[in-house]
Amino acid sequence: MNFRRRTLAVSAAAATLVLGGATSAFAGIDATAEAAGVKVTFHSYGDYFKVCDMATDSGNPYADVRYTNAAGSSRTWRHQIDKGSGNCGKFDHNFGEGRTVLFRACNDTPWLPDPCSAWKTGVA
C-alpha cells in the first residue's frame, strides 16, 4: 500500500513538471516572400534571412527589411546577393524576442521600379 502511494505521488509530480511546471519559450513565426526570380525566407529561430536567386535573369535579388525595436527605434536593411541563379545568401540579425519584422522580396533590375512582392510579416 505504501508503494502505491509513492508511485502515485511520483507520477503526479512528473505530470506537473511536464504539463505545467516548466516555462515555455516564445515561438516565433517564419515567413516567405517571393517575387520575379527571388525568394526570401525569414527564420525566427536564429533571426536570419535567406535570400535566394531563383532565375537566370541577370537581376540581383534582395530583401527589404523593416524593424522597430521595443524602444521605438526603426531600422531598415537591404540584403542583396549577386552570386547567380540557384545561389543563396544568409543574413543574421539579433531581433528582440516576439518583435515583428517586415520584409519583402525584390529583384534589382536594369529598369525601374524593381519588381517586389507584397510585404510579409515574421515574428522573431
Side-chain angles (χ1 to χ4, degrees):
M1 181 114 142
N2 196 13
F3 175 74
R4 285 187 189 162
R5 284 186 191 160
R6 262 190 261 158
T7 304
L8 185 58
V10 170
S11 296
T16 300
L17 285 174
V18 170
L19 297 176
T23 59
S24 61
F26 179 82
I29 298 173
D30 298 344
T32 300
E34 294 185 57
V38 58
K39 180 178 180 180
V40 176
T41 305
F42 171 68
H43 297 269
S44 60
Y45 184 75
D47 291 347
Y48 70 91
F49 290 92
K50 188 174 177 182
V51 179
C52 297
D53 192 342
M54 306 300 287
T56 54
D57 58 3
S58 73
N60 292 319
Y62 65 93
D64 271 340
V65 180
R66 294 180 182 170
Y67 171 75
T68 303
N69 66 19
S73 296
S74 294
R75 297 267 328 260
T76 60
W77 293 271
R78 178 175 169 155
H79 297 310
Q80 184 167 332
I81 64 167
D82 57 0
K83 298 177 183 177
S85 179
N87 288 294
C88 299
K90 181 181 174 185
F91 301 90
D92 291 315
H93 288 273
N94 188 18
F95 299 123
E97 189 172 307
R99 302 297 303 167
T100 299
V101 180
L102 299 174
F103 68 98
R104 65 182 180 170
C106 300
N107 201 356
D108 189 6
T109 57
W111 58 91
L112 292 175
D114 292 344
C116 294
S117 70
W119 288 93
K120 300 292 181 172
T121 303
V123 178

